[in-house]
Amino acid sequence: MSRPHPFDPLTPAEISRASAIVKPHFPGLSPNFRVITLQEPRKNEMIRFLKNENDRSAKRPARCAMVQVAIVARTGPDQLFELIVDLDAGVVTSKKLLEGVHSHIDSAYMRLVENACLADPRVQVEIKTLNLPESATVVVEPWAYATDGRNDMSERTTMCWFYLRLVDNPDANYYAYPLDLCAEVSEKLKVTRVYRLPTSAGEKIHNKPLQFDRKRIHSADASEYHPDLRSAPRTTTKPYQIVQPEGQSFQTKGNFVTWEKWSMRVGFNYREGLTLHDVRYDGRSLFYRIALAEMFVPYGDPRCPYPRKAAFDLGNDGAGINANNLRLGCDCLGYIKYFDGWHNAPDGEPLRMPNVICCHEQDDGILWKHTNFRTGNAVVARSRILVLQTVITVSNYEYIFAFQFGQDASIHYEVRASGILSTAPAKLDESAPSFGTIVAPGVLAPYHQHLFSLRMDPAIDGHKNSLVIEESHPMPAGDPAVDNQFGVGYEARNSFVEQEGGFDLDHTKGRVFKIVNESIVNPITGTPVGFKILPCYSQMLLSHPGSYHARRSEFAKHAVWVTRYQDDELFPAGRYTMQSAGGSGIASAIERRRTENIGQSNVRNEDIVIWHTFGSTHNPRIEDWPVMPSEKMVVGLKPANFFTQNPGIDVAPSTQEQNRSVLVESETSCCSKL
Amino acid sequence: MSRPHPFDPLTPAEISRASAIVKPHFPGLSPNFRVITLQEPRKNEMIRFLKNENDRSAKRPARCAMVQVAIVARTGPDQLFELIVDLDAGVVTSKKLLEGVHSHIDSAYMRLVENACLADPRVQVEIKTLNLPESATVVVEPWAYATDGRNDMSERTTMCWFYLRLVDNPDANYYAYPLDLCAEVSEKLKVTRVYRLPTSAGEKIHNKPLQFDRKRIHSADASEYHPDLRSAPRTTTKPYQIVQPEGQSFQTKGNFVTWEKWSMRVGFNYREGLTLHDVRYDGRSLFYRIALAEMFVPYGDPRCPYPRKAAFDLGNDGAGINANNLRLGCDCLGYIKYFDGWHNAPDGEPLRMPNVICCHEQDDGILWKHTNFRTGNAVVARSRILVLQTVITVSNYEYIFAFQFGQDASIHYEVRASGILSTAPAKLDESAPSFGTIVAPGVLAPYHQHLFSLRMDPAIDGHKNSLVIEESHPMPAGDPAVDNQFGVGYEARNSFVEQEGGFDLDHTKGRVFKIVNESIVNPITGTPVGFKILPCYSQMLLSHPGSYHARRSEFAKHAVWVTRYQDDELFPAGRYTMQSAGGSGIASAIERRRTENIGQSNVRNEDIVIWHTFGSTHNPRIEDWPVMPSEKMVVGLKPANFFTQNPGIDVAPSTQEQNRSVLVESETSCCSKL
């Protein structure tokens, strides 16, 4: 087996080795290994390495692991340590106790919380007073606690929301029966509070015992998604299959993927999930790294305790550890290559996560076409894309993340939101409040936002890049200098961003953000080579600037951020988001550098990072119930005067010989087969 | 053969019959039949008919044709008549002489103009002075004349732009060699002016004879798109085929298409091309009619005569008569049903336009998914869409228009722009002006906009609908009335549009436009049933409000317009756009009704029409050359509390048994076949 590439995730052997190196640093204790993941090499080392990558004698950056260890304390909060391990040298190079921060939440801990909550006598009493139907099972959904300033944040707290499985089937959709019960559980798994939730707009939490209203019970077809619990599905959709008679067009060697003129390295870690490294087209460098960096899902329901529903799905939960095991013929069609991921068990041993990333090709319609109207000759090329996809489940919701590479040298990042709405109990026969939608009897789907941050570390023909804002403006009318006497002239105005900061979209000005390399001039256009961002127009965070939500999710304030590259600056809401108090995100980092270290704030012709905030203000429709049809959001990256022509112009024109379509001859009925 | 449905386009027999009825109205003359098309029935008649459609004895609206006839006058401008023919009664019911307007341009006329232009002695002298290479052929590209206020508009004028085919092949890309020559040709095919074009930013038109600079000659691979003229294409893209072992899932009967729970009628006419009528889901009415209504492509180059480049690609050219003959295995994959269109020859006889619309299915990734994290059980349904696609060529450009119907009751309208940039000559060794990109030596691709208008005539559970603007706003912080003490609450505010008008997008407020039926309340949500528009965020027209461009393209000022339904009000830049002077578009119609006829301006709970303006400010990249990779623009329509749950929840979960994907086992190289 060849040595791992410096960008490769840790191998199982490296995970074991890392924990073995760490264990002696906690003598007499049982360290709970929360994370053992690749500590990516410093960029300056990597740049040197990548230059001579094919020279086997080239100096490789040391393989290092970042390890988080929790030590359960008998009294007081658990201690969380972060260590850097040099795997080549076999030593811990850094060990620090993290003060005032908490480790991410995971399903093992959630199960402990659920069990502890249900075992609590007060909870049991409350459940009894509900007078539930016999077939019903109470389900507790633990949620990471979103800081609201009310609790001491020194201990980890988990919110427990209560639901009901009305039918005796573990796949029943319990979100259809939210209960008005709520509990809070401490880090030590003690139930600290039990109370009843508000169920109408003006109400507050209370302790009045209320029974489960049987009028809420409705048909399975109205709320179940699992086929075992529903009527038979429609049968009108006939099979549709992809055939690739000569196999796939992509090649993989370990985590190195090549396809058409693209090459890249696929990474994966517990937090970001899928990451891409050293993305090139036709050998030319485009991006050093691209990955989803954070995601914030704050709920707009103002009633206490609902402001505690505000999830950092990467920082708190982890897109990696919540990645689905993708299945052949379900999550993609055609020729599929799967990549496994590796995480670690609490004892420090490697844990295989099978099929967390799939790689396959898709047809994407017409890439380009022209018909010469004089000759009637048409030339049409079809677009093939390479898709790298991962799907995550964060409790109720699903996110489908896909990078799509085009033959025209475009990259599209597509996010689909699916899954089940997080619901809250509502009084029957009351109309919906202004912050939610009634999706079933007594079921409120509160409004919320999904705000993603896509981190793009560009290397457009090199590492010194600049961010340009291009706007299209009318020329002054009648200006003799421009001869705009007809008032129809318009021009592009480019301005270079000089300092780190956050910027907004403005479609009214045709605002376009371009990443350029000022030192490489396109030989034909005479302008710097670049890539442009096709943003996803989205509303930014609706919470008040002074709220904990706003202070904790600084990236959610602007659509496009540019920062100077810093090793380890990967997370725009801060490195430790669990019950964070704010002030550790991208805006604070920029402000700190601006006031303390002027030189580091320059972003013109420097190694820069671009962060795009996008998402949706999701005011649920009932059509999102019981499982949401995918809501698509797309961000694009396209060459802008980077090449000297259409990079897909050499794609072979389409022919029926290759594509073998079938003509549907004439009138057909649903019974006739061709 | 059964009688045509009232929404069906005219049959060939009806076209012949219409011209036969019309001819006696022009005794002794040779009428040039410009258009013979369906005159769609009045809506009130159609509504009555649709209610009893399956009752064969129901009264059908009369089949009527709209006919335009040009009569060439020996002196003075040609006369253009518009007639309505009742085909059932065999009579002309209306005949009017259209004053001050011109008929659309077509390829036959363009050929006449080109020939006349090249035959002109002054043009010949100019061409000689150019001293062109021997192999070269001069090509004249005639363009409809965009009004700039300089010429009398009583006669039709055509602009002639000159290009060169450098190699002796009719499919050579002559846009790579724009010449600095320009001519204007009158309706009577006389060359009225010949002059030289400006070739640098501040220059004006002139008459200095200049030679063709041989330094402009460049390699075929830099500018040709036709495979016969290029190096061999890449061979790395392996075949990818769609197999539908049980055939397609859609059914067609004439122009009536059903698929999954959708039904609709497909229409086609010379101007709009593909139209959709009586679109229903599960039998419930959604849209009476949807079609692209207009498209404006103004160029931003301010120098005379370039402001005359501003095409109404529907009103001047026609999306129907420029529709491509789609070919199996090229324009779509899988099981394809084609629809022919029918136009007419100048003598009034029917002209078949084969395969102008294709209908097929596509896989569209994951429709919905949920994994129960407790059981690990995943249920995933794939999304199948039905696509109705048409491709048009308007001289240099291609547009690919596709309606996509989803199993979740969504409709997406996708526009792809492709084809070749319209180019202008530029001086060598000068940098590009602020309004264009240099794409090849001496070749300027001027900036321009593509502004589309999608006309949506809703019938959401009936014909009385309202337009609602929903915005998401933070609740006042600390307001005791809403208990927003944590500052995170937000709410949706809905306002009903009461009067006709134009509105803009605002992603900063999460502005959503919804079409609702106030008299039908969703039984679960308690809110009116509706559909929401997912707009395409676009910059509106950049020309000055006083310019002819702005006055002629009124729809290009706002993103969303709502009007009260009027029979025959189909075109938001006016019915006659050729050399129009402005004031006949949607804003003028609204203003007229507002001032003259107050009652007709109400749009609340009325029969309304929604028009969405979208498109792109297209500042070309060199990557758009020599043929543009498709630039996608998408508009969506989604149910918003129209159903009582996800309409795609009954789609059968995906299985490998049905989908037959293939596992790519492990390391593969480009040489290994599976």
Side-chain angles (χ1 to χ4, degrees):
Chain A
M1 171 110 187
S2 63
R3 291 163 69 190
H5 187 275
F7 281 137
D8 282 350
L10 293 186
T11 63
E14 288 176 325
I15 290 171
S16 297
R17 181 165 161 77
S19 61
I21 296 167
V22 163
K23 278 175 188 163
H25 288 261
F26 296 95
L29 295 167
S30 303
N32 172 357
F33 285 89
R34 302 290 299 143
V35 175
I36 303 176
T37 192
L38 178 70
Q39 172 72 21
E40 290 179 25
R42 289 176 180 281
K43 201 192 233 183
N44 56 14
E45 286 182 68
M46 267 318 285
I47 290 174
R48 276 198 299 276
F49 171 78
L50 292 173
K51 272 192 190 139
N52 305 298
E53 186 167 357
N54 296 323
D55 176 357
R56 291 195 146 261
S57 66
K59 185 175 181 310
R60 300 170 82 89
R63 290 287 283 175
C64 292
M66 189 280 277
V67 179
Q68 283 183 2
V69 167
I71 302 293
V72 178
R74 223 164 275 132
T75 59
D78 294 353
Q79 288 190 307
L80 187 65
F81 291 89
E82 192 167 289
L83 304 96
I84 303 296
V85 180
D86 183 328
L87 295 167
D88 294 348
V91 295
V92 168
T93 58
S94 129
K95 173 187 176 187
K96 60 181 175 195
L97 173 64
L98 302 175
E99 308 254 24
V101 305
H102 302 282
S103 177
H104 62 275
I105 196 166
D106 60 19
S107 56
Y109 185 75
M110 284 161 72
R111 265 191 298 272
L112 294 175
V113 168
E114 181 173 10
N115 294 341
C117 183
L118 283 172
D120 183 86
R122 279 169 304 168
V123 169
Q124 282 301 321
V125 167
E126 287 282 358
I127 289 174
K128 280 211 187 72
T129 67
L130 284 166
N131 188 25
L132 299 174
E134 288 231 342
S135 65
T137 315
V138 173
V139 179
V140 168
E141 186 102 327
W143 272 51
Y145 176 99
T147 312
D148 65 0
R150 283 235 161 155
N151 270 31
D152 176 10
M153 277 162 277
S154 66
E155 259 206 47
R156 181 149 84 167
T157 302
T158 305
M159 297 297 295
C160 289
W161 313 102
F162 288 71
Y163 298 90
L164 214 58
R165 260 193 232 109
L166 198 68
V167 293
D168 185 19
N169 183 312
D171 284 312
N173 175 19
Y174 49 82
Y175 302 104
Y177 295 100
L179 300 177
D180 67 349
L181 206 53
C182 187
E184 297 175 20
V185 172
S186 73
E187 186 159 23
K188 306 284 185 222
L189 301 174
K190 299 286 172 222
V191 174
T192 54
R193 292 186 72 199
V194 183
Y195 45 86
R196 292 298 186 101
L197 294 168
T199 52
S200 57
E203 216 180 356
K204 295 192 189 305
I205 56 174
H206 61 87
N207 288 301
K208 294 185 283 271
L210 288 171
Q211 294 199 350
F212 175 81
D213 189 337
R214 279 167 162 70
K215 278 187 285 182
R216 287 173 58 183
I217 296 173
H218 51 270
S219 77
D221 269 353
S223 62
E224 298 297 347
Y225 69 94
H226 199 285
D228 293 353
L229 297 165
R230 290 189 58 87
S231 311
R234 63 172 87 172
T235 55
T236 46
T237 323
K238 297 187 181 173
Y240 182 100
Q241 297 157 3
I242 308 297
V243 171
Q244 301 184 253
E246 300 177 19
Q248 76 283 0
S249 319
F250 60 84
Q251 297 87 42
T252 63
K253 192 172 175 193
N255 284 40
F256 185 61
V257 177
T258 56
W259 174 77
E260 296 290 81
K261 295 177 181 174
W262 288 97
S263 71
M264 69 206 72
R265 290 189 178 272
V266 174
F268 181 84
N269 65 62
Y270 79 106
R271 180 164 177 161
E272 296 159 284
L274 171 59
T275 58
L276 296 179
H277 307 263
D278 196 20
V279 179
R280 293 167 186 266
Y281 190 93
D282 219 1
R284 285 171 74 183
S285 163
L286 300 182
F287 292 90
Y288 181 77
R289 192 182 197 277
I290 311 182
L292 185 68
E294 195 47 274
M295 190 179 149
F296 188 48
V297 188
Y299 282 71
D301 188 335
R303 300 169 300 174
C304 181
Y306 290 118
R308 290 183 193 154
K309 285 175 78 171
F312 287 100
D313 281 345
L314 268 63
N316 292 1
D317 298 88
I321 52 176
N322 287 297
N324 287 191
N325 176 347
L326 302 176
R327 286 176 311 162
L328 199 65
C330 299
D331 298 291
C332 356
L333 290 185
Y335 274 59
I336 320 293
K337 154 80 186 167
Y338 292 101
F339 292 92
D340 289 345
W342 287 92
H343 187 52
N344 59 280
D347 64 0
E349 286 312 299
L351 197 68
R352 179 167 168 250
M353 299 187 61
N355 296 5
V356 287
I357 298 166
C358 65
C359 173
H360 68 289
E361 292 175 86
Q362 286 178 13
D363 178 82
D364 186 43
I366 292 175
L367 176 63
W368 52 261
K369 180 172 189 179
H370 185 59
T371 302
N372 183 329
F373 73 88
R374 288 179 166 81
T375 62
N377 292 336
V379 184
V380 53
R382 293 196 74 74
S383 171
R384 185 78 58 83
I385 58 174
L386 181 77
V387 181
L388 283 161
Q389 179 174 277
T390 186
V391 182
I392 71 169
T393 300
V394 191
S395 294
N396 53 303
Y397 264 117
E398 258 69 18
Y399 299 98
I400 299 144
F401 300 114
F403 287 101
Q404 303 170 339
F405 296 87
Q407 291 165 312
D408 61 350
S410 64
I411 303 176
H412 287 88
Y413 183 63
E414 185 196 83
V415 177
R416 297 186 186 208
S418 185
I420 304 184
L421 295 163
S422 178
T423 56
K427 275 206 177 59
L428 286 173
D429 310 321
E430 277 195 13
S431 61
S434 61
F435 48 78
T437 306
I438 299 292
V439 294
V443 183
L444 181 73
Y447 297 173
H448 56 279
Q449 295 190 280
H450 301 260
L451 291 158
F452 304 88
S453 172
L454 182 67
R455 182 181 180 278
M456 294 164 278
D457 182 349
I460 305 296
D461 258 353
H463 295 277
K464 299 276 186 203
N465 289 168
S466 302
L467 181 66
V468 181
I469 300 178
E470 177 183 303
E471 293 183 350
S472 292
H473 288 276
M475 294 174 185
D479 184 340
V482 292
D483 190 20
N484 185 25
Q485 58 183 310
F486 303 104
V488 309
Y490 84 84
E491 62 191 349
R493 295 184 194 153
N494 284 283
S495 61
F496 284 88
V497 176
E498 303 284 348
Q499 293 287 312
E500 292 188 327
F503 302 88
D504 289 308
L505 306 180
D506 189 348
H507 64 277
T508 68
K509 299 188 172 66
R511 192 176 286 171
V512 173
F513 290 85
K514 291 189 292 191
I515 310 162
V516 303
N517 185 328
E518 293 187 63
S519 60
I520 313 275
V521 171
N522 187 300
I524 309 286
T525 64
T527 54
V529 298
F531 260 64
K532 68 175 173 181
I533 302 169
L534 311 174
C536 176
Y537 283 90
S538 319
Q539 187 173 31
M540 296 291 99
L541 184 72
L542 278 157
S543 307
H544 277 272
S547 66
Y548 272 98
H549 283 12
R551 286 149 63 189
R552 299 176 72 214
S553 66
E554 295 179 352
F555 71 92
K557 194 177 177 180
H558 295 295
V560 178
W561 298 82
V562 56
T563 56
R564 183 85 163 265
Y565 175 84
Q566 313 282 337
D567 282 323
D568 268 338
E569 190 170 270
L570 293 167
F571 307 118
R575 192 171 171 90
Y576 310 102
T577 58
M578 277 292 278
Q579 288 173 237
S580 60
S584 57
I586 190 171
S588 296
I590 290 173
E591 182 60 16
R592 201 163 47 242
R593 287 194 283 270
R594 197 184 63 78
T595 53
E596 293 173 13
N597 203 337
I598 300 295
Q600 277 196 42
S601 290
N602 297 337
V603 289
R604 176 113 186 233
N605 213 7
E606 294 286 357
D607 188 359
I608 58 173
V609 177
I610 311 294
W611 317 67
H612 178 36
T613 308
F614 66 97
S616 75
T617 295
H618 185 193
N619 303 348
R621 314 172 289 154
I622 195 169
E623 288 82 3
D624 297 333
W625 181 257
V627 169
M628 271 180 72
S630 289
E631 181 90 13
K632 271 189 223 178
M633 290 152 274
V634 181
V635 178
L637 287 161
K638 281 194 179 181
N641 302 325
F642 184 81
F643 298 98
T644 53
Q645 64 175 173
N646 175 355
I649 193 67
D650 65 337
V651 172
S654 284
T655 62
Q656 169 63 359
E657 193 187 348
Q658 290 264 313
N659 292 333
R660 300 184 181 273
S661 290
V662 176
L663 185 67
V664 174
E665 284 291 357
S666 60
E667 316 311 59
T668 59
S669 79
C670 55
C671 314
S672 71
K673 279 200 191 177
L674 287 187
Chain B
M1 171 115 187
S2 62
R3 291 163 71 190
H5 187 274
F7 280 138
D8 282 349
L10 293 186
T11 63
E14 287 175 326
I15 291 171
S16 297
R17 179 163 162 78
S19 62
I21 296 168
V22 163
K23 278 175 188 164
H25 288 262
F26 297 95
L29 296 167
S30 304
N32 172 356
F33 284 90
R34 303 289 299 143
V35 175
I36 303 176
T37 193
L38 178 71
Q39 172 71 21
E40 290 178 24
R42 290 176 181 281
K43 201 190 233 184
N44 56 13
E45 285 182 69
M46 268 316 285
I47 290 174
R48 276 197 299 276
F49 172 77
L50 292 173
K51 274 192 190 138
N52 305 297
E53 188 167 356
N54 296 323
D55 177 357
R56 292 194 145 262
S57 67
K59 186 177 181 307
R60 300 170 82 89
R63 290 287 284 175
C64 292
M66 189 280 278
V67 179
Q68 282 183 1
V69 166
I71 301 293
V72 178
R74 223 163 275 136
T75 58
D78 293 354
Q79 289 190 306
L80 188 64
F81 291 89
E82 193 168 288
L83 305 94
I84 303 297
V85 180
D86 182 329
L87 295 166
D88 294 349
V91 296
V92 168
T93 57
S94 128
K95 174 187 175 187
K96 61 181 173 195
L97 173 64
L98 302 175
E99 307 255 23
V101 304
H102 302 281
S103 177
H104 63 274
I105 197 166
D106 60 19
S107 55
Y109 185 76
M110 283 162 73
R111 265 190 297 273
L112 294 175
V113 169
E114 181 173 11
N115 294 341
C117 183
L118 282 171
D120 183 85
R122 279 169 303 169
V123 168
Q124 281 301 319
V125 167
E126 287 281 359
I127 290 175
K128 280 212 186 71
T129 68
L130 284 166
N131 189 25
L132 299 173
E134 287 231 342
S135 64
T137 315
V138 172
V139 179
V140 168
E141 186 102 328
W143 273 52
Y145 176 99
T147 312
D148 66 0
R150 284 232 161 158
N151 271 29
D152 176 9
M153 277 161 279
S154 67
E155 259 206 45
R156 180 149 85 168
T157 301
T158 306
M159 297 298 294
C160 289
W161 313 102
F162 287 73
Y163 298 90
L164 213 59
R165 259 193 234 110
L166 198 69
V167 293
D168 185 20
N169 183 312
D171 282 314
N173 175 18
Y174 50 82
Y175 300 105
Y177 295 101
L179 300 176
D180 66 349
L181 206 54
C182 189
E184 298 174 18
V185 172
S186 73
E187 186 159 23
K188 306 284 186 220
L189 301 174
K190 297 290 172 219
V191 173
T192 52
R193 292 183 73 197
V194 183
Y195 45 85
R196 292 299 186 102
L197 293 168
T199 53
S200 57
E203 214 181 358
K204 294 192 188 305
I205 55 172
H206 61 86
N207 288 301
K208 293 185 284 269
L210 288 170
Q211 294 199 347
F212 175 80
D213 188 337
R214 279 169 163 70
K215 279 186 284 183
R216 287 173 56 184
I217 296 173
H218 52 269
S219 76
D221 270 352
S223 62
E224 298 297 347
Y225 70 94
H226 199 285
D228 293 353
L229 297 166
R230 291 188 57 87
S231 311
R234 63 172 85 172
T235 55
T236 46
T237 324
K238 296 186 183 175
Y240 182 101
Q241 296 157 4
I242 307 298
V243 171
Q244 300 184 255
E246 298 177 20
Q248 75 285 359
S249 319
F250 60 84
Q251 297 86 41
T252 62
K253 191 171 177 194
N255 284 41
F256 185 61
V257 177
T258 56
W259 173 79
E260 297 289 79
K261 294 177 181 174
W262 288 97
S263 71
M264 69 206 73
R265 291 190 176 271
V266 174
F268 182 85
N269 66 62
Y270 79 107
R271 181 165 176 162
E272 298 159 283
L274 170 59
T275 57
L276 296 179
H277 307 263
D278 196 19
V279 178
R280 292 168 185 265
Y281 190 92
D282 219 2
R284 282 172 75 184
S285 164
L286 300 182
F287 292 90
Y288 181 77
R289 192 182 197 275
I290 310 182
L292 185 69
E294 194 49 273
M295 190 179 148
F296 187 48
V297 187
Y299 282 72
D301 188 336
R303 301 169 300 175
C304 181
Y306 290 118
R308 290 182 193 155
K309 285 175 78 170
F312 288 100
D313 282 345
L314 267 61
N316 292 0
D317 297 270
I321 53 176
N322 287 297
N324 288 193
N325 176 347
L326 301 176
R327 287 176 312 161
L328 199 66
C330 299
D331 298 290
C332 357
L333 290 185
Y335 274 59
I336 321 293
K337 154 79 187 169
Y338 292 102
F339 292 91
D340 290 343
W342 289 92
H343 187 51
N344 59 280
D347 64 359
E349 286 311 302
L351 197 69
R352 178 168 169 250
M353 298 188 63
N355 296 6
V356 287
I357 298 166
C358 65
C359 173
H360 68 287
E361 291 174 87
Q362 286 177 14
D363 178 82
D364 187 44
I366 292 175
L367 176 63
W368 51 262
K369 180 171 188 178
H370 185 58
T371 301
N372 183 329
F373 73 89
R374 288 180 166 80
T375 61
N377 292 337
V379 184
V380 52
R382 295 197 72 75
S383 171
R384 186 77 58 82
I385 57 174
L386 182 77
V387 181
L388 284 161
Q389 178 174 278
T390 185
V391 183
I392 71 169
T393 301
V394 191
S395 293
N396 52 304
Y397 264 117
E398 256 71 16
Y399 299 98
I400 299 143
F401 300 114
F403 287 100
Q404 303 171 339
F405 295 87
Q407 291 165 311
D408 61 350
S410 65
I411 303 176
H412 287 88
Y413 182 63
E414 186 197 81
V415 177
R416 296 186 185 208
S418 184
I420 306 184
L421 295 162
S422 178
T423 57
K427 277 206 177 59
L428 285 173
D429 310 321
E430 277 194 13
S431 61
S434 61
F435 48 77
T437 305
I438 299 291
V439 294
V443 184
L444 182 74
Y447 296 173
H448 56 279
Q449 295 189 280
H450 300 261
L451 291 158
F452 304 87
S453 173
L454 181 66
R455 182 181 181 278
M456 294 164 279
D457 182 349
I460 305 296
D461 259 352
H463 295 277
K464 299 276 186 204
N465 290 168
S466 302
L467 181 66
V468 180
I469 301 179
E470 176 183 304
E471 294 183 348
S472 292
H473 289 275
M475 293 175 184
D479 184 340
V482 292
D483 189 21
N484 185 26
Q485 58 184 310
F486 303 103
V488 309
Y490 83 84
E491 63 189 349
R493 296 186 193 152
N494 284 284
S495 61
F496 284 87
V497 176
E498 303 283 348
Q499 293 286 314
E500 292 189 326
F503 302 88
D504 289 309
L505 306 181
D506 189 348
H507 64 277
T508 69
K509 299 189 172 66
R511 192 175 286 170
V512 173
F513 290 85
K514 291 189 292 191
I515 310 163
V516 303
N517 186 327
E518 294 187 63
S519 59
I520 313 276
V521 170
N522 187 300
I524 309 286
T525 66
T527 55
V529 297
F531 261 64
K532 67 176 173 181
I533 301 170
L534 310 174
C536 176
Y537 282 90
S538 319
Q539 187 172 32
M540 297 290 101
L541 184 71
L542 279 158
S543 307
H544 277 272
S547 66
Y548 272 98
H549 283 12
R551 286 148 64 189
R552 298 176 73 214
S553 66
E554 294 178 354
F555 71 93
K557 194 176 177 182
H558 294 295
V560 178
W561 297 82
V562 55
T563 56
R564 182 84 164 266
Y565 175 84
Q566 312 284 335
D567 282 323
D568 267 339
E569 190 170 88
L570 293 167
F571 307 117
R575 191 172 171 90
Y576 310 102
T577 59
M578 277 292 277
Q579 288 173 238
S580 60
S584 56
I586 188 170
S588 296
I590 290 173
E591 181 61 17
R592 202 164 45 243
R593 287 195 283 269
R594 196 185 62 81
T595 53
E596 293 173 13
N597 203 337
I598 300 295
Q600 277 197 41
S601 291
N602 298 337
V603 288
R604 177 117 186 229
N605 215 6
E606 293 287 355
D607 188 359
I608 59 173
V609 177
I610 311 294
W611 317 67
H612 178 34
T613 307
F614 66 98
S616 75
T617 295
H618 185 193
N619 303 347
R621 313 170 292 154
I622 195 169
E623 286 83 2
D624 296 334
W625 180 257
V627 169
M628 271 179 72
S630 290
E631 182 92 11
K632 271 189 223 179
M633 290 152 275
V634 181
V635 178
L637 288 162
K638 282 194 179 180
N641 302 326
F642 184 81
F643 298 97
T644 53
Q645 65 173 174
N646 174 354
I649 194 66
D650 65 337
V651 172
S654 284
T655 62
Q656 169 64 357
E657 191 188 349
Q658 290 264 312
N659 293 332
R660 299 184 182 271
S661 290
V662 176
L663 185 68
V664 174
E665 283 292 356
S666 60
E667 316 310 61
T668 58
S669 79
C670 55
C671 313
S672 72
K673 278 199 193 176
L674 288 186

